[in-house]
């Protein structure tokens, strides 16, 4: 029996829609062979993704979500005590996993309008820096890094530093607003671009993330893959999603529109909400008393959100969730 969920789960930036019937059918089909191991090291799955991106397979590495991929990147490039530069606040996984490999978290505050401060991040890079992580759209603010600013950032970054560009939410961004990562990975062999099937593709439970970049950097990250580490369901799910791109794009568009409605509903109440290009919004710069009040009313109404130090991140759900959030905040 599926668990019945009361209230609104808006804390994890999940897709509010369950798998499409075609994707569910493919997953059910894959379950029939659940007694069999998947591939020893994944070849078909990265091959599928590489083909879609127009790369040879050796330029794509897969992992247990983007979380698994970032873990392997840090394992490969961060020696004990080496610095990992990141914004703050940011995706919790970066500092958490940096700690597990013995790295030193170097945090650079966001600008007042919720952007990663690329100049300050460059200034934070020194001889002990191993990795810089940027995230676009940024978690928790939803703001994007511009192509020009990122290209310049890469130009002034020492090529011995690995630059991770996390595009977990890229499918929610209009194509014209995206960084041309395909061009930049050709120019910068130290750049790794990460993506995931957990968000727009709605496969968070299957744990599929990937990264692409130059063949040498991807080869190094692949050293950390676990034997039999990716499931057969992951491969079936990705294949089925690729066959249903148009239907999934309609859902993504629906979420994008709902995001605009949620943001404007909250702005109408006087909250500062940075322009989000993802499936969540951020109530920025809230005073502690206001954060407490929101925590109380959201809990009362069964609305789960993500509480950050100076704000609250709210995932875009269905129209009922938007109504519930706006009504509670009012
Ligand atoms: N990167 C960012 C920016 C995220 O927000 C998340 C999930 N919240 C992830 C990576 C990890 O996603 P997953 O491991 O499910 O692919």
């Amino acid at each position: 029996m599926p668990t019945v969920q009361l209230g609104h789960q808006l804390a994890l930036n999940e897709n509010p829609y369950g798998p499409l019937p075609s994707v569910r059918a493919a997953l059910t089909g894959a379950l029939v062979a659940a007694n069999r191991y998947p591939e020893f090291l994944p070849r078909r799955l990265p091959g599928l993704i590489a083909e879609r991106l127009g790369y040879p397979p050796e330029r794509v590495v897969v992992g247990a979500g983007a979380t698994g991929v970032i873990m392997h990147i840090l394992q490969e490039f961060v020696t004990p005590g080496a610095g990992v530069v990141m914004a703050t606040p940011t995706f919790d996984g970066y500092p958490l996993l940096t700690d597990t490999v013995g790295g030193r978290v170097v945090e650079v505050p966001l600008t007042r309008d919720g952007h990663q401060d690329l100049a300050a991040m460059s200034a934070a890079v020194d001889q002990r820096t191993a990795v810089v992580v940027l995230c676009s759209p940024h978690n928790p603010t939803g703001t994007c890094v511009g192509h020009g600013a990122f290209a310049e950032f890469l130009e002034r970054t020492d090529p011995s530093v690995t630059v991770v560009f996390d595009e977990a939410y890229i499918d929610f961004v209009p194509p014209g607003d995206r960084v041309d990562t395909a061009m930049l990975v050709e120019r910068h062999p130290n750049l790794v671009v990460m993506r995931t099937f957990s968000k727009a593709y709605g496969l968070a439970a299957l744990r599929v993330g990937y990264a692409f970049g130059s063949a040498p950097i991807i080869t190094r990250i692949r050293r950390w893959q676990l034997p039999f580490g990716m499931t057969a369901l992951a491969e079936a799910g990705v294949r089925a999603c690729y066959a249903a791109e148009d239907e999934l794009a309609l859902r993504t568009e629906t979420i994008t529109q709902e995001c605009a409605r949620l943001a404007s509903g909250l702005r109408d109440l006087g909250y500062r909400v940075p322009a989000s290009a993802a499936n969540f919004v951020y109530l920025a710069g809230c005073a502690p008393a206001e954060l407490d009040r929101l925590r109380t009313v959201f809990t009362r109404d069964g609305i789960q959100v993500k509480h950050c130090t100076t704000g609250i991140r709210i995932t875009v759900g269905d129209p009922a969730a938007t109504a519930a959030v706006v009504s509670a905040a009012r």
Side-chain angles (χ1 to χ4, degrees), residues 3 41 47 52-53 66 74 80 84 92 97 99 106-107 117 155 162 172-173 191 202 215 224 226 234 245 252 260 316:
T3 45
L41 290 174
R52 186 53 67 120
L53 297 174
L74 297 172
V84 179
D92 290 340
L97 299 177
D99 276 349
V106 179
E107 295 182 321
D117 189 338
E155 289 297 335
T162 299
F172 298 105
V173 181
L191 170 62
W224 296 89
L226 288 178
E245 286 278 20
T252 303
V316 177

Short mmCIF file of all heavy atoms in Angstrom, two decimals, residues 3 41 47 52-53 66 74 80 84 92 97 99 106-107 117 155 162 172-173 191 202 215 224 226 234 245 252 260 316:
data_model
loop_
_atom_site.label_atom_id
_atom_site.label_comp_id
_atom_site.label_asym_id
_atom_site.label_seq_id
_atom_site.Cartn_x
_atom_site.Cartn_y
_atom_site.Cartn_z
N THR A 3 1.95 4.93 1.01
CA THR A 3 1.62 5.68 2.22
C THR A 3 0.76 6.89 1.84
O THR A 3 0.96 7.52 0.81
CB THR A 3 2.89 6.19 2.92
OG1 THR A 3 3.73 6.73 1.92
CG2 THR A 3 3.60 5.09 3.67
N LEU A 41 29.66 -2.34 -13.92
CA LEU A 41 29.83 -0.90 -13.90
C LEU A 41 28.91 -0.35 -14.99
O LEU A 41 28.82 -0.95 -16.06
CB LEU A 41 31.28 -0.50 -14.17
CG LEU A 41 32.25 -0.83 -13.04
CD1 LEU A 41 33.68 -0.52 -13.45
CD2 LEU A 41 31.89 -0.09 -11.75
N GLY A 47 25.74 5.68 -21.41
CA GLY A 47 25.73 5.70 -22.88
C GLY A 47 24.47 6.38 -23.41
O GLY A 47 24.50 7.20 -24.34
N ARG A 52 22.13 11.28 -25.81
CA ARG A 52 21.16 12.37 -25.77
C ARG A 52 21.85 13.74 -25.81
O ARG A 52 21.39 14.68 -26.43
CB ARG A 52 20.33 12.20 -24.50
CG ARG A 52 19.16 13.11 -24.28
CD ARG A 52 18.20 13.17 -25.42
NE ARG A 52 17.44 11.98 -25.70
CZ ARG A 52 16.11 11.91 -25.67
NH1 ARG A 52 15.41 12.94 -25.29
NH2 ARG A 52 15.50 10.81 -26.01
N LEU A 53 23.01 13.81 -25.14
CA LEU A 53 23.75 15.08 -25.07
C LEU A 53 24.67 15.29 -26.28
O LEU A 53 25.21 16.37 -26.46
CB LEU A 53 24.61 15.12 -23.80
CG LEU A 53 23.89 15.06 -22.45
CD1 LEU A 53 24.91 14.96 -21.32
CD2 LEU A 53 23.02 16.30 -22.26
N ALA A 66 22.53 13.22 -8.09
CA ALA A 66 23.64 14.17 -8.18
C ALA A 66 24.44 14.11 -6.88
O ALA A 66 25.63 14.39 -6.85
CB ALA A 66 23.11 15.57 -8.44
N LEU A 74 34.24 14.79 -4.97
CA LEU A 74 35.01 15.22 -3.79
C LEU A 74 36.02 14.15 -3.38
O LEU A 74 37.15 14.45 -3.00
CB LEU A 74 34.04 15.54 -2.64
CG LEU A 74 33.09 16.72 -2.91
CD1 LEU A 74 32.05 16.83 -1.79
CD2 LEU A 74 33.84 18.03 -3.08
N PRO A 80 42.72 15.65 2.37
CA PRO A 80 42.40 16.19 3.69
C PRO A 80 42.96 17.62 3.87
O PRO A 80 44.11 17.89 3.54
CB PRO A 80 43.07 15.20 4.65
CG PRO A 80 43.02 13.91 3.89
CD PRO A 80 43.26 14.28 2.44
N VAL A 84 37.12 23.57 -0.24
CA VAL A 84 36.01 23.48 -1.19
C VAL A 84 35.20 24.77 -1.04
O VAL A 84 34.58 24.99 0.01
CB VAL A 84 35.14 22.23 -0.94
CG1 VAL A 84 33.99 22.18 -1.94
CG2 VAL A 84 35.99 20.97 -1.03
N ASP A 92 22.64 21.60 1.07
CA ASP A 92 23.27 21.03 2.27
C ASP A 92 24.30 19.94 1.94
O ASP A 92 25.22 19.70 2.72
CB ASP A 92 22.22 20.37 3.17
CG ASP A 92 21.32 21.39 3.84
OD1 ASP A 92 21.72 22.57 3.93
OD2 ASP A 92 20.21 21.00 4.26
N LEU A 97 29.16 16.58 2.54
CA LEU A 97 30.04 15.60 1.89
C LEU A 97 31.49 16.08 1.91
O LEU A 97 32.42 15.27 1.94
CB LEU A 97 29.58 15.32 0.46
CG LEU A 97 28.16 14.72 0.37
CD1 LEU A 97 27.74 14.52 -1.07
CD2 LEU A 97 28.06 13.41 1.12
N ASP A 99 32.84 17.54 4.39
CA ASP A 99 33.29 17.06 5.71
C ASP A 99 33.68 15.59 5.66
O ASP A 99 34.68 15.18 6.24
CB ASP A 99 32.17 17.21 6.74
CG ASP A 99 32.13 18.62 7.32
OD1 ASP A 99 33.08 19.38 7.08
OD2 ASP A 99 31.13 18.94 8.00
N VAL A 106 34.70 26.25 2.61
CA VAL A 106 34.96 27.70 2.55
C VAL A 106 33.69 28.36 2.03
O VAL A 106 33.32 28.17 0.86
CB VAL A 106 36.15 28.01 1.61
CG1 VAL A 106 36.40 29.52 1.53
CG2 VAL A 106 37.40 27.28 2.09
N GLU A 107 32.99 29.07 2.92
CA GLU A 107 31.67 29.59 2.57
C GLU A 107 31.73 31.05 2.18
O GLU A 107 32.35 31.86 2.87
CB GLU A 107 30.72 29.42 3.76
CG GLU A 107 30.47 27.96 4.09
CD GLU A 107 29.50 27.76 5.23
OE1 GLU A 107 29.57 28.55 6.20
OE2 GLU A 107 28.67 26.83 5.15
N ASP A 117 28.01 35.15 -5.29
CA ASP A 117 28.90 36.28 -5.50
C ASP A 117 30.17 35.77 -6.18
O ASP A 117 31.13 35.36 -5.51
CB ASP A 117 29.19 36.93 -4.14
CG ASP A 117 29.91 38.24 -4.27
OD1 ASP A 117 30.55 38.47 -5.32
OD2 ASP A 117 29.85 39.04 -3.32
N GLU A 155 37.64 31.67 -16.73
CA GLU A 155 38.89 32.22 -17.29
C GLU A 155 39.87 32.60 -16.19
O GLU A 155 41.07 32.43 -16.34
CB GLU A 155 38.61 33.45 -18.16
CG GLU A 155 37.91 33.16 -19.49
CD GLU A 155 38.74 32.28 -20.43
OE1 GLU A 155 39.98 32.26 -20.31
OE2 GLU A 155 38.12 31.59 -21.28
N THR A 162 39.20 22.16 -9.63
CA THR A 162 38.02 21.57 -10.29
C THR A 162 36.81 22.46 -10.04
O THR A 162 36.50 22.79 -8.89
CB THR A 162 37.77 20.16 -9.73
OG1 THR A 162 38.91 19.35 -10.03
CG2 THR A 162 36.53 19.52 -10.35
N PHE A 172 14.05 23.53 -15.71
CA PHE A 172 13.04 24.56 -15.46
C PHE A 172 13.44 25.92 -16.05
O PHE A 172 12.66 26.86 -16.02
CB PHE A 172 12.81 24.72 -13.94
CG PHE A 172 12.30 23.48 -13.27
CD1 PHE A 172 13.12 22.70 -12.47
CD2 PHE A 172 10.98 23.06 -13.47
CE1 PHE A 172 12.65 21.54 -11.86
CE2 PHE A 172 10.50 21.90 -12.86
CZ PHE A 172 11.34 21.14 -12.06
N VAL A 173 14.65 26.01 -16.57
CA VAL A 173 15.17 27.29 -17.07
C VAL A 173 14.89 27.41 -18.57
O VAL A 173 15.18 26.47 -19.31
CB VAL A 173 16.70 27.38 -16.82
CG1 VAL A 173 17.25 28.71 -17.32
CG2 VAL A 173 17.02 27.16 -15.36
N LEU A 191 36.25 21.69 -15.79
CA LEU A 191 34.83 21.96 -15.51
C LEU A 191 34.01 20.67 -15.56
O LEU A 191 34.13 19.89 -16.51
CB LEU A 191 34.28 22.96 -16.54
CG LEU A 191 32.77 23.18 -16.56
CD1 LEU A 191 32.26 23.76 -15.24
CD2 LEU A 191 32.39 24.12 -17.72
N GLY A 202 11.27 13.83 -12.31
CA GLY A 202 10.42 13.20 -11.29
C GLY A 202 10.83 11.80 -10.86
O GLY A 202 9.98 11.01 -10.47
N ALA A 215 36.94 14.18 -21.18
CA ALA A 215 37.12 12.75 -20.93
C ALA A 215 38.09 12.50 -19.76
O ALA A 215 37.80 11.65 -18.90
CB ALA A 215 37.59 12.04 -22.20
N TRP A 224 35.54 5.99 -8.73
CA TRP A 224 34.86 5.78 -7.45
C TRP A 224 33.53 5.06 -7.57
O TRP A 224 32.84 4.85 -6.57
CB TRP A 224 34.67 7.14 -6.76
CG TRP A 224 35.99 7.73 -6.44
CD1 TRP A 224 36.74 8.55 -7.24
CD2 TRP A 224 36.77 7.50 -5.28
NE1 TRP A 224 37.93 8.85 -6.64
CE2 TRP A 224 37.97 8.23 -5.42
CE3 TRP A 224 36.57 6.75 -4.11
CZ2 TRP A 224 38.97 8.22 -4.44
CZ3 TRP A 224 37.56 6.76 -3.14
CH2 TRP A 224 38.74 7.49 -3.32
N LEU A 226 30.73 2.37 -7.60
CA LEU A 226 30.59 1.08 -6.93
C LEU A 226 30.21 0.00 -7.93
O LEU A 226 29.36 0.24 -8.79
CB LEU A 226 29.46 1.15 -5.89
CG LEU A 226 29.70 1.95 -4.64
CD1 LEU A 226 28.43 1.94 -3.79
CD2 LEU A 226 30.87 1.36 -3.85
N ALA A 234 16.78 2.28 -12.56
CA ALA A 234 17.27 3.60 -12.98
C ALA A 234 17.37 3.66 -14.49
O ALA A 234 16.91 4.61 -15.14
CB ALA A 234 18.62 3.87 -12.33
N GLU A 245 9.62 12.75 -23.54
CA GLU A 245 10.11 14.12 -23.30
C GLU A 245 9.02 15.18 -23.44
O GLU A 245 8.96 16.12 -22.66
CB GLU A 245 11.25 14.46 -24.26
CG GLU A 245 12.57 13.80 -23.95
CD GLU A 245 13.37 14.53 -22.88
OE1 GLU A 245 12.79 15.31 -22.11
OE2 GLU A 245 14.58 14.27 -22.80
N THR A 252 6.71 20.19 -16.77
CA THR A 252 7.71 21.16 -16.32
C THR A 252 7.16 22.57 -16.50
O THR A 252 7.31 23.43 -15.63
CB THR A 252 9.01 20.97 -17.12
OG1 THR A 252 9.44 19.63 -16.93
CG2 THR A 252 10.11 21.90 -16.67
N ALA A 260 5.58 30.85 -10.69
CA ALA A 260 5.35 32.30 -10.84
C ALA A 260 4.16 32.72 -9.98
O ALA A 260 4.17 33.78 -9.35
CB ALA A 260 5.12 32.63 -12.31
N VAL A 316 7.52 24.21 -5.16
CA VAL A 316 6.27 24.43 -5.90
C VAL A 316 5.51 23.11 -5.96
O VAL A 316 6.06 22.10 -6.43
CB VAL A 316 6.57 24.93 -7.33
CG1 VAL A 316 5.29 25.08 -8.12
CG2 VAL A 316 7.35 26.24 -7.27
#
